[in-house]
Amino acid sequence: MADQHAIPTNIHPSRFAQNPLQRFLMATELDTRLLGMIGALAIIWIGFNIFSGGLFLTPRNLWNLSVQTASVAVMVTGMVLVIVTRNIDLSVGSILGVVGMVMGVMQTDILPSQLGLGLGHPMIWVLSLAAGLVVGVGIGALQGTIIAYLRVPAFIVTLGGYLVWRGAAWWVTMGRTVAPMDPTFQLMGGGPAGSVGSLWSWIVAVIACAAILIGLYWGRRQRRRFNFPLRPIWAEIALAIIGCGLVIGAVLVANAYPWPVRIAARYAEANGIPVPESGLFISHGIAIPVLIALGVGVVMTFIATRTRFGRYVFAMGGNPEAAELAGINTRWVTVKIFMLMGALCAIAAAISSARLNAATNALGTLDELYVIAAAVIGGTSLAGGVGTIAGALLGALVMQSLQSGMVLMGLDSPLQSIVVGAVLVFAVWLDTLYRRNKH
Amino acid sequence: MLDTRTPLVEMNDISIAFGGIRAVDRASIDLFPGEVVGLLGHNGAGKSTLIKILSGAYKRDAGSIRINGEDATINNPRDAKAYGIETIYQQLAVADNVDAAANLFLGREITTAIGTLDDAAMESKAREVMGRLNPNFRRFKEPVKALSGGQRQSVAIARAILFNARILIMDEPTAALGPQETAQVGELIKQLKSDGIGIFLISHDIHDVFDLADRVVVMKNGQVVGSARTEDVTKDEVLGMIILGKVPPGATPGPGAQTGLV
Ligand SMILES: Nc1ncnc2c1ncn2[C@@H]1O[C@H](COP(=O)(O)OP(=O)(O)OP(=O)(O)O)[C@@H](O)[C@H]1O
Ligand SMILES: [Mg+2]
């Protein structure tokens, strides 16, 4: 206590750091856990790059990696909230399956034939997606209500849901695969057409950088308004450079991956563009599913950290009884969490089925395990109360990097499972160590 | 002696049982504006359970609650808060993994014009209130889990006084506090009392409450032994009520009074 008296409250603690690294971390207020994960990701990437003979860190592979991560990334943002409140959702893969089927049938049968819109009608993708969202939210509401009001443990309810919704997915078409999807709907799955191209990627980059700068400025203004300690100016600048640098780097990579030669040639022919000697270079740019996942990440971070709902989620996770006594309607919050999870499953179902250009029975099989693993690797504590959206997104990227890296190296799939399982346990053990050291 | 004003709180013939245990058995208790009522009794007497019925944490099996003379429906903590009832629970009931400001405003967050959390405003207000209560408190950024028992207690107290309570329930509010902070809570109680707030002050230790309370009510085995104005009885007599259930001449006996010994 005595030393605390000497410190005026509005001096930033980084003034008292002992070494430059500590000073940098304290001044920028970066989350060391998140930095650790980025470090782990870097090691995985570089390792795979070496062992695959330079195939991993190519624009093509990184772009594919981003698209492959999108579906799990969307769902993991909801799983964080579920796990933070000491619940679990084992049914997300099956929900994805049934919602994918519903959306498939909507766009191939119900809307074009039975409602007579005709194939390729511009409204088909919106209406299909909306139907999927309704089904997803409805399933979430049902499961959430049973968990919150009937007090059946989430583990059991969603284990039941795992079987029920997988069965329901089969029921929609009696097991028949639905294909092909609506051309506009397909854009949600990526591919050359489902990417925004170089110009729009740069526009996204500019918006993202502007958001970073405005966020830093706004944070500083708020602190000054209430006379809280300010980060040193150099730290703010460092944060701005790091943030914008990452954004620009990602866009450079996405833009460095060209359309396949044949597709580019066909496109040139169709639009009367002369093909130069060296071949036509058309950038993919950021894929639409990746933009969707990033958008979901931003929205979910906002919900988790800036809204009352998010605050209640974390308060409930730390101490459900205290939250109830504080006057929070914890049951209704629980239902809302599962509804949100259902909506995210629907978005993920759109991405997955669009990417596959088909809705199948097996869509989303095992996804629940990848989603839960990604959340946990990303620092979400199964004991409740702790977790971040950004961490979980990184966790999803780590999982997917491992998998596609092993595919690239030609590892057999049983071996892949063994590695992923071992890494999961190892990562959580590391996390336990980290938390124990911190407290 | 008779108070002609309307009581702020009247709990009549309240009973609740957990399994076979009659934790509270036909207990009646009342509270007037600007009054401090000390609720005393040995461990397990039913004090916390009785007031948890008032704060909405438990649902009573029988009995009625009137607030300001009108029948009150209290089915959950939100209902109680709507009546201006604020509670400092014995087990503190703080949300461990969010910081002090988030705890203070839990369920009643300050929001910005567009409905998002205004954390800066909440932290600023939290600093102000905590500064009054526990000037040594500095750890605003930490989750409450990382705080000492006394610091957590300060957070719980600050939360209860932040929102213009009319009825304040303090269940062993100073159990974890040092002498300086305990004295501060004593001062706080006097100040709240002069603002017209009614306070239930609960303790199993008579010395904590005797000097602050206007009236004491003693419970034993879930029943009310008796009640007395502090000026009409001595500490030893109250001790006799707590330990033996013996009601002295200056006190009004309740259902739990040990009649054979009077
Ligand atoms: N949730 C519960 N479930 C079962 N029994 C309970 C519960 N809460 C309290 N009891 C029982 O009710 C009785 C009264 O408990 P209560 O907590 O009200 O005592 P108290 O007077 O506050 O004691 P203390 O001074 O130790 O805080 C005890 O016998 C206790 O075991
Ligand atoms: Mg008690």
Side-chain angles (χ1 to χ4, degrees), chain B residues 18 21 23 41-49 58 90 172 204:
Chain B
F18 297 108
I21 304 166
H42 55 75
N43 290 125
K47 309 179 295 289
S48 298
T49 307
Y58 291 153
Q90 187 171 15
E172 315 260 0
H204 54 262

